[in-house]
């Protein structure tokens, strides 16, 4: 009887885990299409609310870098962290562009995601 209960619990755990992975691995993530299309922030689709919605929708709090990038796409830039972080991913938003080219020395905003031991630990949004 104990073996049946253990097998049932294992089945439940693995089936829940597969569902979550399927959502992240899907090539047709509807909610993030606009984020990916607006890769430089020129289209004004990206913003901090959109970012937070993606994090909530795909349960990315404490996610690893690989799963995070599956949803957010490649970052505009990366940095090596310091003692508190290993890697920092930076995505532009609300940028000033001409002909889809980011203008140097123009105002822009950054969504910055901090990872330690390959796990998302913090995020910040700033404009300059």
């Amino acid at each position: 009887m104990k073996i049946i209960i253990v097998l049932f619990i294992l089945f439940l755990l693995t089936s829940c885990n597969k569902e979550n992975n399927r959502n992240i691995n899907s090539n047709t993530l509807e909610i993030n299409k606009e984020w990916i299309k607006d890769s430089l922030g020129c289209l004004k689709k990206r913003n901090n609310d959109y970012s937070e919605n993606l994090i909530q929708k795909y349960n990315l709090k404490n996610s690893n870098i690989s799963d995070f990038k599956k949803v957010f796409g490649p970052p505009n830039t990366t940095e090596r962290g310091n003692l508190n972080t290993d890697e920092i991913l930076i995505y532009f938003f609300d940028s000033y562009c001409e002909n889809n080219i980011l203008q140097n020395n123009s105002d822009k905003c950054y969504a910055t995601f901090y990872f330690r031991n390959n796990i998302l630990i913090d995020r910040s949004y700033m404009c300059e």
Side-chain angles (χ1 to χ4, degrees):
M1 182 67 172
K2 290 182 182 179
I3 293 174
I4 293 172
I5 293 171
V6 169
L7 289 174
F8 180 72
I9 291 171
L10 287 173
F11 171 76
L12 286 176
L13 290 174
T14 58
S15 65
C16 291
N17 192 21
K18 286 179 184 175
E19 177 65 24
N20 197 17
N21 286 339
R22 185 186 60 78
N23 286 340
I24 291 176
N25 290 328
S26 172
N27 289 330
T28 57
L29 297 171
E30 292 299 320
I31 191 170
N32 74 334
K33 283 184 179 178
E34 295 299 316
W35 181 275
I36 300 288
K37 273 199 285 190
D38 191 14
S39 66
L40 293 174
C42 299
L43 302 174
K44 310 294 188 210
K45 303 285 184 183
R46 289 181 174 186
N47 59 52
N48 56 331
D49 289 335
Y50 192 3
S51 170
E52 291 298 318
N53 286 340
L54 290 174
I55 290 168
Q56 182 177 1
K57 169 83 173 165
Y58 294 105
N59 299 315
L60 294 175
K61 285 186 179 179
N62 302 316
S63 70
N64 63 50
I65 291 175
S66 177
D67 285 346
F68 187 86
K69 286 181 179 179
K70 287 176 186 172
V71 174
F72 278 78
N76 296 103
T77 187
T78 60
E79 294 179 5
R80 284 285 164 211
N82 53 30
L83 293 175
N84 296 324
T85 58
D86 298 326
E87 189 164 359
I88 301 168
L89 306 182
I90 301 169
Y91 295 82
F92 301 153
F93 69 95
D94 204 21
S95 303
Y96 178 72
C97 304
E98 286 185 19
N99 299 322
N100 245 359
I101 298 172
L102 187 64
Q103 297 301 297
N104 291 334
N105 301 321
S106 66
D107 293 344
K108 61 182 92 40
C109 298
Y110 307 94
T112 307
F113 302 93
Y114 303 89
F115 292 82
R116 180 177 27 205
N117 298 326
N118 197 34
I119 302 296
L120 178 64
I121 59 165
D122 201 5
R123 56 197 175 271
S124 66
Y125 306 96
M126 68 174 239
C127 298
E128 57 180 25

